[in-house]
Amino acid sequence: MTSKTTDRIATIYFWTSGIVIIGILAWFLIRILGDGIPHLSWHFIFGKPEEIKAGGGVGPQLFNSFYVLLLSLVISIPIGLFSGIYLAIYAQKNGFTDLVRISVEALSSVPSIVFGLFGFLLFANLLGLKFSILGGAATVALLNLPVMVRVTEEAIRTVPDSYWEASLALGSTKWQAIRKVLIPAALPSLITGITLIAGRALGESAILIYTAGLSVSRFFPDFNPLRMGETLSVHLWYVGAESLVPDAKGIAQGSAALLLIVVLLFNLLVSIPSRILQKRLSGGK
């Protein structure tokens, strides 16, 4: 078999694989949005849920989803950012740092339900938070922390060494070089990592079932982080599995479509400024 034939077979294989994957994703999008969009309305998106009768909304669940997302990012971003900077800049290459990196890699592959059980034991039982938005957000932050650490370390390492050396040569301290040179240069990659963990937090359900609970506040919106807070993804599971409302299937389809639209819009709203920033940092290229 000649090299041209091998190259042609490989090209056909990769194109076919890409088309199949895109086709599967398109089928999922069309199926979920096609079934769910007819159920979306102003009352459904912002109204309160019903326990027995039909016609309930998902407003509190949608609010709780963004509330958990915000609190989890407030916890995970600073810790993950500084940990990644430490591993990339300050940490020496020895057995301890190798152990830390292996531990981070191992934690990033742990199933989310394990984090949910750990969060239930730690935050709900040991720390006495019970089922609460704060406990759920803290557990989601633990889930996303390994990813944030790895993304930050890799983003800092991709910045050319000449940036770092030039900044130090001009008399700046390490912290000044990190804050004014490395972080701005790595910002597009960091934004991509934050978008990744944010989408993961919006769609998480296994963790929040054990930590945030399956109920919502009577008040809407309720900013108390110590109350129970069912999110949209958890509500989708609950309606499909245990709900008694007669229109449970329609609520589940509408919730799935709304969750998908929210994740897509969130990624779009974050990716556009990231691309603009990347073009400015690269001189418009």
Side-chain angles (χ1 to χ4, degrees):
M1 185 179 295
T2 63
S3 57
K4 289 185 177 180
T5 304
T6 304
D7 179 71
R8 187 172 302 171
I9 293 174
T11 302
I12 294 173
Y13 171 77
F14 288 122
W15 270 100
T16 304
S17 301
I19 292 172
V20 169
I21 293 172
I22 293 174
I24 294 173
L25 291 176
W27 181 80
F28 273 114
L29 290 174
I30 294 172
R31 180 68 183 274
I32 295 173
L33 295 178
D35 292 340
I37 286 180
H39 299 283
L40 298 183
S41 64
W42 183 268
H43 173 73
F44 180 83
I45 297 174
F46 298 102
K48 293 185 178 181
E50 296 288 348
E51 290 295 332
I52 299 177
K53 62 181 182 179
V58 294
Q61 285 83 0
L62 182 62
F63 172 79
N64 291 338
S65 297
F66 283 103
Y67 198 16
V68 170
L69 170 64
L70 176 63
L71 292 178
S72 66
L73 292 181
V74 168
I75 298 172
S76 61
I77 289 179
I79 299 175
L81 185 65
F82 287 117
S83 300
I85 291 173
Y86 168 78
L87 291 175
I89 302 298
Y90 293 98
Q92 298 179 356
K93 187 173 178 58
N94 51 40
F96 175 73
T97 56
D98 290 340
L99 178 62
V100 170
R101 289 189 175 92
I102 293 174
S103 300
V104 170
E105 292 288 347
L107 286 174
S108 63
S109 60
V110 172
S112 60
I113 192 170
V114 176
F115 279 97
L117 293 172
F118 175 77
F120 174 75
L121 294 174
L122 176 61
F123 298 111
N125 287 344
L126 186 61
L127 297 182
L129 295 178
K130 300 181 180 180
F131 289 106
S132 64
I133 286 182
L134 182 58
T139 311
V140 172
L142 291 179
L143 173 72
N144 287 329
L145 192 57
V147 178
M148 190 64 201
V149 172
R150 292 299 297 159
V151 167
T152 302
E153 183 181 4
E154 294 300 325
I156 295 296
R157 290 187 182 278
T158 56
V159 178
D161 293 337
S162 57
Y163 288 26
W164 173 259
E165 295 169 355
S167 179
L168 295 179
L170 292 174
S172 66
T173 62
K174 280 189 175 183
W175 172 239
Q176 289 175 331
I178 292 170
R179 182 166 53 91
K180 295 184 178 181
V181 177
L182 293 187
I183 291 181
L187 195 57
S189 299
L190 294 176
I191 293 176
T192 301
I194 294 172
T195 305
L196 177 64
I197 65 173
R200 195 178 184 188
L202 281 173
E204 185 54 50
S205 59
I207 283 178
L208 299 173
I209 291 172
Y210 290 101
T211 55
L214 301 174
S215 179
V216 295
S217 173
R218 294 178 298 170
F219 307 101
F220 173 60
D222 189 349
F223 291 93
N224 181 11
L226 299 179
R227 62 174 174 85
M228 293 179 67
E230 182 188 45
T231 61
L232 188 59
S233 58
V234 175
H235 186 64
L236 172 61
W237 168 83
Y238 175 75
V239 169
E242 301 183 10
S243 179
L244 300 176
V245 293
D247 58 343
K249 183 178 180 181
I251 294 176
Q253 291 174 339
S255 300
L258 179 60
L259 183 61
L260 181 60
I261 292 172
V262 167
V263 172
L264 291 176
L265 288 177
F266 184 85
N267 281 271
L268 184 63
L269 292 175
V270 174
S271 63
I272 291 176
S274 176
R275 290 181 180 272
I276 294 175
L277 178 63
Q278 189 171 12
K279 285 185 178 181
R280 288 184 178 181
L281 293 175
S282 60
K285 295 182 181 180

